[in-house]
Amino acid sequence: MSEAALTTRPVRRPQRTFARRATDWIANPWGKPRFLVLLTWVYVISSIAPVVIAIQFSFNDGRSLTAWQGFAGARWYWGDPVNSVWHDPALQHALFQSLKLAGLDMLIATPLGVMLALGLARWRGRAASASNFLMLFPLVTPEIVMGVSLSLAFLNVFTFIEPSTTAQVLGHVTFSLSYVVVIVRGRLFSIGRQYEEAAADLGATPWETLRLVLLPLLMPAIFSSLMIVFAISIDDFVISQWLSCGADCDTIPIRIYSATRAAPLPSINALASIMVYFTLVAIGISYLVYRFMTRGERPAGGAGKSMVGSMGAFDV
């Protein structure tokens, strides 16, 4: 055999045994995170599967919520003349009430959160740290505690606010405000002060700097806040229930909870599916708008093209 043939022969690497692979993974579990990828997919599938099953049973031909009896199309959405979402006044009212609360929450909490974030980012002093901590307090407070606290506050302190849609809106604004502050403050930290300082050096007044420089830069965070507040508010149950005035204040989660204690029909699954559709549309629009508004900030070459990376770049 010639010397050239010996030098070009491929070198076969010894195959690693299962024990050797396990030992290598224990020594360096972060080297090739296949296990973490598998764990992530298991979590994603297990969390999405119940939602998919609920959506599937919203198209059930029969009245059962547990036994699949065939595909019925849009019967429980608008096909059934009595029990569908479209023809049931109680379900229609719950859907309208949820959309009304979520819309008002978006319009009130987002501007307030933006102003609070701007103020907290520029507040210097001993009380600034305490204020920043207190602003995050609703994020770590259990929702049931928040609901009980708001109910007691309206019954004993702000007695002019009775359990009603107004109380529900105020409750939603109270607990969703912190999310807006966190998102907008993260965006403020990421863009820094250099743009404001440059505008000031060029002669812009503080109002012109805010209107022409800072707010356009904050638009991705503001729009993300709008969508997240909508998604949080539309599926809230605890606070809406504690501040409810009765059947007139029922939202979709409250209606679903009440129906499951009686004899629910697949129209309840249809109503829950509509809520899922609204949430997915809100998140999808938020993602697309964020991608559009930050298209000039992503580095060339495809870095950060993944959805997770981009959504993580909400700069929270």
Side-chain angles (χ1 to χ4, degrees):
M1 184 177 295
S2 66
E3 183 177 355
L6 290 174
T7 54
T8 56
R9 178 180 297 175
V11 179
R12 297 184 60 185
R13 297 180 179 179
Q15 293 184 351
R16 294 190 306 169
T17 62
F18 176 78
R20 179 59 183 274
R21 292 179 180 178
T23 304
D24 293 344
W25 183 83
I26 293 173
N28 182 18
W30 311 105
K32 293 181 179 178
R34 297 188 182 93
F35 175 75
L36 297 181
V37 173
L38 176 63
L39 186 64
T40 301
W41 277 109
V42 169
Y43 168 74
V44 169
I45 293 173
S46 61
S47 60
I48 292 178
V51 180
V52 174
I53 293 173
I55 294 175
Q56 175 194 353
F57 275 91
S58 70
F59 298 100
N60 197 7
D61 191 27
R63 302 169 72 91
S64 175
L65 292 179
T66 57
W68 180 249
Q69 297 168 295
F71 183 74
R75 173 186 176 184
W76 302 109
Y77 288 87
W78 61 76
D80 193 288
V82 177
N83 296 313
S84 63
V85 177
W86 184 257
H87 294 93
D88 190 329
L91 299 183
Q92 282 187 23
H93 179 78
L95 179 61
F96 177 72
Q97 182 74 2
S98 289
L99 293 176
K100 182 170 64 175
L101 288 179
L104 291 173
D105 192 14
M106 289 167 57
L107 297 178
I108 298 173
T110 305
L112 287 177
V114 173
M115 290 188 287
L116 285 172
L118 291 172
L120 289 172
R122 283 151 180 75
W123 191 356
R124 298 292 181 269
R126 295 181 179 179
S129 300
S131 300
N132 280 283
F133 173 76
L134 292 176
M135 181 53 62
L136 301 176
F137 197 69
L139 295 178
V140 297
T141 303
E143 198 172 357
I144 183 67
V145 176
M146 181 68 72
V148 174
S149 303
L150 288 170
S151 177
L152 292 175
F154 289 141
L155 290 176
N156 297 282
V157 181
F158 308 107
T159 53
F160 55 92
I161 302 176
E162 298 179 350
S164 59
T165 301
T166 303
Q168 288 180 317
V169 171
L170 293 176
H172 282 218
V173 170
T174 302
F175 86 90
S176 59
L177 199 60
S178 299
Y179 292 91
V180 181
V181 173
V182 169
I183 294 172
V184 176
R185 285 206 62 184
R187 180 69 177 173
L188 280 172
F189 283 130
S190 69
I191 62 179
R193 298 291 301 271
Q194 61 270 22
Y195 297 100
E196 297 175 70
E197 293 171 355
D201 291 341
L202 294 173
T205 62
W207 169 247
E208 290 174 337
T209 303
L210 174 66
R211 183 170 59 89
L212 301 175
V213 177
L214 195 55
L215 285 181
L217 291 172
L218 289 177
M219 281 310 294
I222 293 173
F223 194 83
S224 300
S225 301
L226 283 170
M227 295 298 103
I228 289 176
V229 168
F230 177 84
I232 292 173
S233 179
I234 199 170
D235 67 348
D236 176 75
F237 170 75
V238 178
I239 294 177
S240 300
Q241 174 67 22
W242 274 99
L243 304 178
S244 174
C245 59
D248 291 339
C249 295
D250 279 358
T251 59
I252 294 176
I254 296 175
R255 176 58 59 182
I256 293 173
Y257 177 74
S258 302
T260 53
R261 300 174 65 183
L265 294 171
S267 55
I268 289 297
N269 283 336
L271 186 63
S273 301
I274 290 174
M275 188 170 64
V276 174
Y277 303 149
F278 274 116
T279 304
L280 291 177
V281 168
I283 294 175
I285 292 174
S286 176
Y287 171 72
L288 293 176
V289 171
Y290 175 82
R291 293 282 297 181
F292 175 77
M293 289 182 173
T294 60
R295 62 191 184 283
E297 301 178 14
R298 290 188 292 277
K305 278 188 175 179
S306 67
M307 182 173 179
V308 174
S310 298
M311 296 300 283
F314 268 129
D315 300 324
V316 178

